[in-house]
Amino acid sequence: MASVFCVANQKGGVGKTTTCVNLAAGLAQVGKRVLLVDLDPQGNATMGSGVDKRGLQPSVYQVLLGMSSVAEARRHSDNAGYDVLGANRELAGAEVELVDQERREHRLKDALHAVRHDYDFVLIDSPPALGLLTLNGLCAAQGVIVPMQCEYFALEGLTDLVNTVRQVHARLNPDLTLIGLLRVMFDPRITLQQQVSEQLKTHFGSKVFNAVIPRNVRLAEAPSYGQPGVVFDRSSRGAQAYVEFAQEMVQRVSAPIPTPASAPSPATAEIRR
Ligand code: ATP
Ligand code: MG
């Protein structure tokens, strides 16, 4: 049965889509069956996976509104090696249209149920906001992956996100945990980035992934070719770092880190509370 992860951070441009697309491709390269769900009306993960968002129908929009199944709406990307439940601008309407619908936060979860045996991993890319679309991602997932740049304001935003995860855990999805923080666009020459990275490790302990994604231009170039960086230039430093991250995720899924119930630790307890 699929492990479902939502890549989230309400801050814009922090590397959510790059992480989602490259993690999906990295997992596909080690033989995992992967579905990427694009929950962002920008459709960047869709395009970056080599699926044309223009005229895409049905898309995740029809799925959320109960007009299509995931099986009908998904596309296979030969470029990327995984399936894509794509998004385009139409999805922006869902944020409003879902408001008076039944089980509005659980629409994606309910829809994914039918394909849960088709995949080892389902990865959800979310928009830069904590609205109903992101909530659907958090309710469908068992874990949240948070890509972040190591800068001062990133820590501030993290508190809001941790609180949201806590609330969703308490009210909507008791399975949800914060799987980990992924340091992205990292430049070790910048002292502030090193300091923030150390603070993160002190505060969040093993919740900080070992893999660190460097700032690497090949990762930024890849989407314009409709390919994940991991496929576009697999020898680049950025691609190699995402492959390492994919391996780390496989390990975490097969041997989850202890939860506070079995091994209390201030850092993990803080996130779970
Ligand atoms: P949004 O909030 O708008 O959805 P996002 O969090 O999904 O943004 P991305 O689109 O993944 O962020 O990344 C923002 C920009 O930074 C993109 O142009 C992307 O190509 C670039 N980028 C992401 N990661 C890296 C990296 N490690 N090195 C260099 N450029 C990167
Ligand atoms: Mg994005």
Side-chain angles (χ1 to χ4, degrees):
M1 201 165 79
S3 301
V4 185
F5 298 105
C6 182
V7 179
N9 190 331
Q10 76 278 19
K11 236 174 133 43
V14 292
K16 292 180 288 296
T17 300
T18 306
T19 295
C20 208
V21 161
N22 283 287
L23 175 58
L27 290 169
Q29 284 184 359
V30 293
K32 301 296 177 189
R33 298 167 305 159
V34 182
L35 172 68
L36 184 151
V37 179
D38 191 351
L39 272 188
D40 187 345
Q42 295 179 98
N44 293 344
T46 304
M47 296 294 279
S49 301
V51 173
D52 194 346
K53 67 181 177 182
R54 290 162 295 188
L56 185 68
Q57 206 182 18
S59 67
V60 71
Y61 170 77
Q62 279 78 15
V63 171
L64 290 174
L65 288 168
M67 297 185 280
S68 171
S69 66
V70 176
E72 285 165 342
R74 66 187 167 191
R75 304 276 186 279
H76 184 72
S77 167
D78 290 329
N79 276 0
Y82 52 80
D83 286 355
V84 179
L85 180 54
N88 53 31
R89 286 173 56 192
E90 214 177 3
L91 182 60
E95 195 84 55
V96 175
E97 288 165 61
L98 282 175
V99 166
D100 55 3
Q101 303 262 333
E102 233 176 273
R103 290 180 63 75
R104 59 187 177 184
E105 300 96 349
H106 299 282
R107 289 298 179 118
L108 181 62
K109 183 191 173 89
D110 294 348
L112 287 173
H113 190 74
V115 298
R116 68 195 184 286
H117 295 299
D118 297 356
Y119 301 102
D120 301 306
F121 287 88
V122 175
L123 302 177
I124 303 166
D125 187 27
S126 56
L130 294 173
L132 206 38
L133 289 170
T134 300
L135 269 184
N136 262 273
L138 295 176
C139 285
Q142 68 210 55
V144 190
I145 296 168
V146 182
M148 57 182 299
Q149 289 172 257
C150 290
E151 50 190 41
Y152 176 72
F153 288 118
L155 285 177
E156 211 170 64
L158 195 55
T159 312
D160 294 339
L161 185 60
V162 168
N163 283 335
T164 302
V165 171
R166 219 178 261 168
Q167 282 175 21
V168 173
H169 172 80
R171 294 184 194 166
L172 294 166
N173 177 10
D175 295 336
L176 189 68
T177 52
L178 199 143
I179 297 295
L181 307 174
L182 178 67
R183 291 162 287 172
V184 298
M185 301 190 220
F186 192 74
D187 184 344
R189 293 166 303 182
I190 300 176
T191 310
L192 177 66
Q193 292 208 2
Q194 282 177 0
Q195 286 169 348
V196 172
S197 174
E198 286 310 313
Q199 276 177 2
L200 278 179
K201 282 196 279 188
T202 307
H203 199 65
F204 292 102
S206 58
K207 292 276 183 185
V208 181
F209 288 108
N210 294 327
V212 180
I213 313 298
R215 185 171 284 282
N216 179 245
V217 71
R218 301 300 270 169
L219 291 173
E221 287 169 352
S224 58
Y225 295 87
Q227 290 181 7
V230 162
V231 173
F232 175 63
D233 182 357
R234 59 184 306 169
S235 65
S236 65
R237 286 189 314 120
Q240 285 173 358
Y242 271 117
V243 168
E244 265 172 46
F245 176 49
Q247 287 161 350
E248 197 176 342
M249 278 301 294
V250 171
Q251 275 169 10
R252 289 220 182 184
V253 167
S254 51
I257 57 172
T259 61
S262 56
S265 98
T268 49
E270 158 128 346
I271 297 172
R272 292 273 304 216
R273 238 187 347 248

